[in-house]
Amino acid sequence: MEVINSVNELKAKINAFRKDNKKIGLVPTMGALHKGHASLVTRSVKENDVTVVSVFVNPTQFNDKNDLEKYPRTLEADCKLLESIGTTIVFAPTVEEIYPEPDTRSFSYAPTDSVMEGAFRPGHFNGVCQIVSKLFMFVEPDSAYFGEKDFQQIAVIKAMVNDYRSKNEEWAKRLTICPCPIVRENDGLALSSRNTLLAPNERTIAPYIFKALSASVEYSKTHTVEETKNMTINQINAIEGLEVQYYEIVNADTLQTVNSWEDAEHIQGCITVFCGATPIRLIDNINYK
Ligand code: PAF
């Protein structure tokens, strides 16, 4: 496994792999890797000849400076894990390497990027599109792997790739976006790099988010969308230290709110909860149908 910091060096390696007709998988990450990331990398290693994992805490997607500063950084441990699962290249650039000058590109895929996280974290998805488009252009992967914990992020990235496809970008035409299932702790908490920031008492209450989501699936069988939404929010807010920022029950393809269970073929519940005094912002989602 090689650790590369420079874009030019990365591109040179990728060119050599392409000449050899190697199939390339990309796993974009912000580091502080856990078993959820490991599952993405393991899948990429299985499906490709070469797996590139980027480790880069992207400043342009943080709308809160404090959140950016607090974000855990554990490159040495990340590299050990990545080597053990067969990664070919770790791309770990500096901010200056990625943004030698400010990225002024603007991406807009409303309503996909304007609801939920888009509404509560202005500019977040613009920053995600800036970094992910750059990574796609550097690596030109055959497949790119993303965790379904960030359900909305996958929809936004798919919209961005479709946009580049419509502009006849060869890399976008070749690329397949591969969503991968959420990995959970035994108590149901969705794995997230942010979990390491939870104090012990916060870690104890955080699993109630998934407990309420799971209970809501059963509840939904005999109740309306609105009743299910309210029950879920109330159950979580009843736990001291948890506060729901939003819970939306949406068409899983368009991310538009549904009013009835018959409104869409696939329906997903997407939630963001503040946990503890700091607070730590936790996201999760669940499939209803
Ligand atoms: O999901 C993440 O960790 C980030 O948003 C991503 C896709 C690596 C872009 O920085």
Side-chain angles (χ1 to χ4, degrees):
M1 185 181 87
E2 267 189 88
V3 182
I4 293 178
N5 312 112
S6 127
V7 171
N8 285 339
E9 200 184 330
L10 175 68
K11 284 181 176 168
K13 295 272 174 206
I14 296 292
N15 277 340
F17 289 134
R18 282 259 163 255
K19 280 205 182 103
D20 279 354
N21 274 328
K22 300 280 190 213
K23 219 173 149 210
I24 302 176
L26 171 69
V27 185
T29 83
M30 297 206 298
L33 304 182
H34 49 66
K35 282 187 246 155
H37 297 111
S39 74
L40 310 183
V41 180
T42 302
R43 184 166 159 202
S44 174
V45 168
K46 210 164 130 195
E47 295 180 357
N48 299 280
D49 303 310
V50 167
T51 290
V52 179
V53 179
S54 61
V55 176
F56 178 66
V57 182
N58 173 40
T60 70
Q61 71 187 75
F62 286 81
N63 55 331
D64 175 350
K65 205 168 153 260
N66 199 27
D67 190 22
L68 172 62
E69 272 161 22
K70 270 188 331 204
Y71 203 86
R73 290 157 170 90
T74 58
L75 184 60
E76 211 176 303
D78 293 346
C79 287
K80 274 196 190 130
L81 174 70
L82 292 174
E83 179 143 44
S84 75
I85 39 188
T87 303
T88 321
I89 291 177
V90 177
F91 177 52
T94 60
V95 173
E96 294 70 32
E97 183 68 11
I98 293 293
Y99 299 112
E101 59 229 24
D103 191 337
T104 54
R105 292 174 304 155
S106 163
F107 297 82
S108 176
Y109 304 111
T112 311
D113 65 350
S114 58
V115 295
M116 302 191 287
E117 290 299 282
F120 285 97
R121 300 182 70 190
H124 168 66
F125 285 125
N126 199 58
V128 169
C129 288
Q130 287 177 338
I131 183 60
V132 174
S133 62
K134 276 179 185 269
L135 293 169
F136 285 167
M137 287 176 210
F138 299 156
V139 179
E140 303 203 354
D142 297 275
S143 300
Y145 300 81
F146 295 90
E148 283 179 332
K149 185 174 77 66
D150 295 295
F151 192 82
Q152 188 175 5
Q153 172 169 273
I154 294 178
V156 173
I157 289 170
K158 280 185 176 167
M160 180 188 78
V161 172
N162 280 340
D163 186 25
Y164 278 108
R165 268 187 203 141
S166 72
K167 291 173 182 147
N168 258 338
E169 290 285 350
E170 284 307 319
W171 64 262
K173 288 199 240 168
R174 183 173 55 225
L175 175 60
T176 305
I177 300 296
C178 306
C180 303
I182 299 178
V183 179
R184 297 184 181 278
E185 300 283 6
N186 288 339
D187 58 15
L189 178 64
L191 292 193
S192 162
S193 306
R194 285 195 167 84
N195 292 355
T196 59
L197 303 173
L198 294 169
N201 60 322
E202 295 166 347
R203 177 63 189 81
T204 310
I205 54 175
Y208 282 99
I209 301 167
F210 183 61
K211 278 203 180 80
L213 290 179
S214 306
S216 81
V217 173
E218 198 50 40
Y219 187 87
S220 71
K221 293 178 184 157
T222 49
H223 293 80
T224 65
V225 169
E226 200 188 345
E227 286 164 346
T228 304
K229 177 175 165 172
N230 291 339
M231 187 281 291
T232 311
I233 294 174
N234 293 340
Q235 268 207 355
I236 295 174
N237 284 344
I239 307 290
E240 204 186 321
L242 294 183
E243 193 194 332
V244 175
Q245 185 177 38
Y246 68 80
Y247 185 48
E248 296 295 347
I249 298 179
V250 300
N251 177 324
D253 301 309
T254 65
L255 302 191
Q256 292 305 282
T257 306
V258 295
N259 297 314
S260 131
W261 298 116
E262 308 315 317
D263 275 0
E265 195 183 341
H266 303 293
I267 294 185
Q268 203 78 11
C270 298
I271 197 158
T272 291
V273 179
F274 291 118
C275 180
T278 323
I280 306 299
R281 202 171 174 275
L282 299 173
I283 71 172
D284 204 343
N285 63 82
I286 198 139
N287 181 257
Y288 287 100
K289 64 181 254 203

